[in-house]
Amino acid sequence: MRKLRPKRRIPTMEETVEDPPTSAVLLDHCHFSQVIFNSVEKFYVPGGDVTCYYTLTQHFIPRRKDWIGIFRVGWKTTREYYTFMWVTLPIDLNSELTKQQEVHFKAYYLPKDDEYYQFCYVDQDGVVRGASIPFQFRPENEEDILVVTTQGEVEEIEQHNSELCKENQELKDSCAILQKQNSDMQAELQKKQEELETLKSVNKKLEQKVKEQKDSWETELLRLKEQNQKIALENEKMGVRVDQLQAQLSTQEKEMEKLIQGEQDKTEQLAHLKKENGTLFLSLTEQREQQMKLKQTVEELKQKEATATKKQQELTEPKNKKTAVEEQLVQEVEHLKAKVEAGKACFLEKYKECQRLHKQIRQLRAAALEVKQDLKSQQEPMGMGSQEPAVSTVIG
């Protein structure tokens, strides 16, 4: 008849205040050779405490949350423990005595059936580091007591025992080789773990650097986007301004054409005024020459009048006698006076003519100056640097 599998017993507060760390890792991922269980009995008598002896290998370092559990043979994960005890951390890991450790299981917490169980060392990550041979919880019986009755049976048992010892030695040698291989693998694993930590540190630094570079690029991209928006807005404003300037330039070109045409007209007008000014200047010169001649004539007449008056006074007698010569002189004096008066009238008329010419010349100068100023004021706003037309002046 098939026996029912006992339920897992939950440890009490005397054993622990929390569940041990377990794992769903399968047996293929365990390392059973890092902790070796010693002096495991084939069976333990129910109702008594059980002491579990174990040895830590050279490269295995125990941790605070490691534990030893009793598992029913056939378990698949570390969650299937029946009971457990926390391990005691050794003080000096380098001591040989420290490598030999033990834990005590109270009888009350042990299984009550006769199924096969085994000790398993589980670290704080829930990984199995060692497992014992199977054992049972049952009382001793007569089948367990070997009674030797004949010498032949003793020799046969001794021979069998010798073979078992030889096989045990071979197993020990194989175990030593495996332990050495495991030690080498642990050293290699430690080295790989150190390399992994180094790579993780380098990777972390690279990730931080990449993050900083990414943040810097995002900031620069945001700044360039804002700058691009500003440039696009400025370009739009510049386009509107260019259109306005082109319209203004077209208007100014039309005004320039009008000013150029007006300038040509005023230039022709100025040339006409210059020509007329030259004609008036020649006429004024002739008038001045005639005026000088008249002045000379008047002076001559004044001298003749003075001479005639003087002669008249010399010839005048107290008796006031008039001779024919005197009459002639008087007539001549009168004639000279008439000529002087006529010269004065002619001089006055010529003088008035000169004044009128001077007035016309001043008007021509004022008109020429006004034309010049108009041309200058029209050229300055338009940025024209054309040379001003020469204007001759007449000194009055």
Side-chain angles (χ1 to χ4, degrees):
M1 185 176 180
R2 184 179 178 183
K3 296 181 181 180
L4 295 176
R5 182 175 179 179
K7 295 182 179 180
R8 190 183 71 181
R9 190 191 58 77
I10 305 301
T12 64
M13 291 296 293
E14 295 178 359
E15 296 178 276
T16 179
V17 295
E18 59 179 329
D19 291 336
T22 60
S23 172
V25 178
L26 300 179
L27 297 178
D28 296 340
H29 296 81
C30 299
H31 307 275
F32 293 164
S33 61
Q34 295 182 348
V35 177
I36 300 173
F37 290 91
N38 306 316
S39 304
V40 180
E41 302 291 341
K42 291 183 179 180
F43 63 88
Y44 293 93
V45 179
D49 296 343
V50 174
T51 302
C52 174
Y53 301 96
Y54 61 94
T55 302
L56 304 176
T57 58
Q58 181 180 359
H59 296 287
F60 180 73
I61 300 175
R63 291 180 288 179
R64 186 175 61 86
K65 289 287 186 177
D66 292 357
W67 54 283
I68 293 177
I70 296 178
F71 291 80
R72 183 180 177 182
V73 173
W75 59 273
K76 298 298 182 181
T77 69
T78 56
R79 296 173 182 172
E80 300 178 19
Y81 66 90
Y82 182 86
T83 186
F84 77 96
M85 290 294 293
W86 297 112
V87 301
T88 303
L89 293 179
I91 299 175
D92 185 7
L93 293 175
N94 297 323
S95 173
E96 290 297 329
L97 296 177
T98 301
K99 301 297 182 180
Q100 304 295 328
Q101 299 292 321
E102 61 183 47
V103 293
H104 300 280
F105 290 91
K106 296 292 183 180
Y108 176 77
Y109 302 110
L110 297 175
K112 302 298 189 279
D113 58 11
D114 58 352
E115 294 288 338
Y116 282 92
Y117 292 87
Q118 65 182 146
F119 300 115
C120 291
Y121 188 104
V122 185
D123 64 11
Q124 68 177 20
D125 296 325
V127 179
V128 178
R129 299 297 181 177
S132 71
I133 61 174
F135 56 84
Q136 290 179 290
F137 293 94
R138 65 178 176 83
E140 294 182 349
N141 52 37
E142 293 180 356
E143 295 178 358
D144 297 323
I145 301 173
L146 179 62
V147 178
V148 180
T149 58
T150 63
Q151 182 67 29
E153 291 177 350
V154 171
E155 291 177 355
E156 184 180 354
I157 290 173
E158 288 180 351
Q159 183 180 359
H160 183 65
N161 188 35
S162 176
E163 291 177 356
L164 289 175
C165 289
K166 182 179 179 181
E167 185 178 353
N168 185 36
Q169 184 62 38
E170 290 177 355
L171 290 174
K172 286 184 179 179
D173 294 341
S174 177
C175 182
I177 294 172
L178 291 174
Q179 286 181 351
K180 184 177 183 303
Q181 292 177 353
N182 181 63
S183 176
D184 295 340
M185 292 177 67
Q186 287 293 328
E188 183 68 20
L189 177 62
Q190 184 68 23
K191 182 178 179 181
K192 295 296 183 182
Q193 287 179 345
E194 292 176 356
E195 292 178 355
L196 180 60
E197 292 297 329
T198 303
L199 290 175
K200 285 182 178 179
S201 178
V202 173
N203 186 45
K204 186 176 181 180
K205 291 180 180 178
L206 289 175
E207 288 178 353
Q208 182 65 25
K209 187 175 181 180
V210 168
K211 184 177 181 300
E212 294 175 355
Q213 186 68 30
K214 183 179 178 181
D215 294 340
S216 176
W217 287 344
E218 289 178 354
T219 303
E220 182 66 17
L221 180 61
L222 181 61
R223 187 186 66 81
L224 290 175
K225 285 183 178 178
E226 292 177 354
Q227 185 177 1
N228 188 29
Q229 291 177 355
K230 291 181 180 178
I231 292 175
L233 183 60
E234 290 179 357
N235 287 338
E236 185 177 354
K237 292 181 179 179
M238 289 296 292
V240 174
R241 180 59 179 166
V242 166
D243 293 339
Q244 293 176 351
L245 290 176
Q246 287 180 347
Q248 185 178 358
L249 180 61
S250 177
T251 303
Q252 290 181 352
E253 287 178 350
K254 293 179 180 179
E255 292 179 355
M256 178 69 73
E257 292 176 356
K258 293 179 180 180
L259 290 174
I260 292 174
Q261 184 63 39
E263 182 182 357
Q264 292 177 354
D265 296 339
K266 290 184 179 181
T267 302
E268 294 176 357
Q269 183 180 0
L270 183 60
H272 178 70
L273 291 174
K274 287 173 63 177
K275 183 177 180 181
E276 186 175 353
N277 186 25
T279 304
L280 291 175
F281 180 74
L282 292 176
S283 176
L284 180 61
T285 303
E286 293 178 355
Q287 293 291 334
R288 286 182 177 177
E289 291 177 355
Q290 292 180 2
Q291 184 178 3
M292 292 299 295
K293 291 180 179 179
L294 289 173
K295 284 183 178 181
Q296 292 178 0
T297 304
V298 169
E299 290 296 331
E300 291 176 356
L301 290 174
K302 285 181 178 181
Q303 290 178 2
K304 290 181 178 180
E305 181 181 5
T307 304
T309 304
K310 185 178 180 180
K311 289 181 177 180
Q312 182 179 4
Q313 290 176 355
E314 290 177 354
L315 294 175
T316 302
E317 294 293 335
K319 293 180 179 181
N320 295 324
K321 293 181 179 181
K322 295 182 180 180
T323 62
V325 177
E326 290 176 351
E327 290 293 334
Q328 186 179 358
L329 289 173
V330 170
Q331 290 177 359
E332 187 175 352
V333 169
E334 292 296 332
H335 178 69
L336 288 173
K337 284 182 179 181
K339 288 183 67 175
V340 168
E341 291 297 331
K344 285 182 179 182
C346 183
F347 176 75
L348 182 59
E349 184 179 353
K350 294 295 183 181
Y351 179 75
K352 289 180 180 181
E353 181 66 20
C354 287
Q355 291 295 327
R356 186 181 63 80
L357 292 174
H358 277 297
K359 184 177 181 181
Q360 290 181 357
I361 290 173
R362 284 195 299 270
Q363 291 176 350
L364 289 174
R365 285 180 180 176
L369 181 61
E370 183 179 356
V371 171
K372 181 179 179 181
Q373 289 178 350
D374 289 341
L375 291 175
K376 185 176 180 181
S377 62
Q378 292 173 1
Q379 291 172 359
E380 285 179 354
M382 300 303 298
M384 297 181 59
S386 58
Q387 187 176 358
E388 297 178 357
V391 180
S392 61
T393 57
V394 179
I395 300 175

